[in-house]
Amino acid sequence: MEWEDVTPEQEDWLKQLNITAYYGNKVVGSIVFCGDVGWQSVIDGSVDFMDAETEEQAKEEMIDKLDSHLEGEINYYKELREMLSELINDWRQQD
């Protein structure tokens, strides 16, 4: 993964940095600077305010936010897998 300074996607964003995964060149999330509003995180299209005052602080905070977000996604898919297994078992028992 790497930080990538890109052209901001929205007019009110003065600066945008993406976290890009090498595999598949996928943008995992972004931090954006909005002037007086400050730094914001963007993960899966959801924008959230950050406490960061500097770019370095925003990067650190974003890593924590992504860690939490990805942990939630992993748990969600584990639960889906368990429910799918239950559905398959129920379906097989009906035969």
Side-chain angles (χ1 to χ4, degrees):
M1 294 188 134
E2 67 180 357
W3 289 102
E4 184 178 20
D5 196 346
V6 297
T7 302
E9 295 175 17
Q10 295 188 19
E11 290 180 18
D12 59 335
W13 295 353
L14 304 178
K15 183 172 181 113
Q16 178 175 343
L17 294 159
N18 293 343
I19 297 178
T20 306
Y22 295 126
Y23 181 76
N25 202 25
K26 179 177 174 24
V27 174
V28 178
S30 303
I31 55 174
V32 296
F33 184 69
C34 303
D36 293 339
V37 176
W39 288 96
Q40 297 180 337
S41 63
V42 183
I43 302 172
D44 286 341
S46 295
V47 180
D48 192 20
F49 291 99
M50 301 177 87
D51 293 326
E53 294 181 13
T54 66
E55 183 178 312
E56 288 305 311
Q57 290 172 342
K59 286 179 177 180
E60 289 179 25
E61 189 174 337
M62 181 61 165
I63 290 169
D64 291 341
K65 285 178 176 276
L66 273 173
D67 185 51
S68 177
H69 173 77
L70 293 173
E71 186 66 31
E73 290 292 300
I74 289 167
N75 291 337
Y76 171 74
Y77 284 104
K78 283 181 180 178
E79 289 178 21
L80 282 179
R81 180 183 273 165
E82 290 171 10
M83 289 187 284
L84 181 60
S85 293
E86 290 174 16
L87 180 66
I88 291 169
N89 289 335
D90 290 346
W91 175 70
R92 287 182 179 161
Q93 289 177 1
Q94 291 177 0
D95 287 341

